[in-house]
Amino acid sequence: MTHTDIAKALVGTFVSGDVAVAEASALPSYKQHNLNFGDCRDAFVAAVKGLQEAPVKTTLKTVRSFEDGEYVVLHSIVNFAGSGDQVALDVFRFEDDKIAEHWDNVANVVAPNPSGHT
């Protein structure tokens, strides 16, 4: 698997709920830079479990991805547990074939701007 495949599998666990994939994708010391989530792989796994308990299931569509050495960037449209569509930009840093760090930015989907871009 490429680093991109591993990163896509990790974010895909928000939809699938596959805790084994989440555990296999990230180092136990996984560093989370999103202030809404706890640090370490166990905190990520807990978030995956929490989304599976939500009455509305999460959806995710990765629009594009980039891989450069130890970094992978994913651009996705995600709807966390029925909260509405949002644009997510995720950056992952790998050590060997495991995710070591994650940064992201999530924003609501908006109408096109005057140049026609969203």
Side-chain angles (χ1 to χ4, degrees):
M1 288 180 87
T2 67
H3 288 168
T4 299
D5 293 334
I6 295 167
K8 286 180 177 180
L10 183 74
V11 298
T13 63
F14 285 139
V15 176
S16 71
D18 193 336
V19 172
V21 169
E23 290 173 339
S25 301
L27 290 172
S29 59
Y30 168 85
K31 179 87 172 154
Q32 176 60 263
H33 296 281
N34 180 319
L35 298 177
N36 294 315
F37 290 90
D39 219 10
C40 81
R41 181 179 64 195
D42 291 344
F44 184 86
V45 169
V48 169
K49 289 177 181 177
L51 284 173
Q52 293 310 300
E53 295 169 0
V56 177
K57 296 302 176 196
T58 294
T59 61
L60 177 116
K61 178 184 177 192
T62 299
V63 178
R64 63 187 50 85
S65 59
F66 304 94
E67 184 171 335
D68 185 16
E70 64 184 10
Y71 292 94
V72 170
V73 177
L74 300 181
H75 174 210
S76 306
I77 305 297
V78 62
N79 184 327
F80 288 108
S83 63
D85 283 346
Q86 296 178 302
V87 178
L89 183 72
D90 293 283
V91 179
F92 300 93
R93 185 181 67 79
F94 281 76
E95 290 180 9
D96 297 318
D97 288 332
K98 301 282 186 183
I99 298 170
E101 287 187 84
H102 170 253
W103 299 261
D104 67 356
N105 190 2
V106 180
N108 291 330
V109 174
V110 296
N113 63 19
S115 65
H117 301 287
T118 59

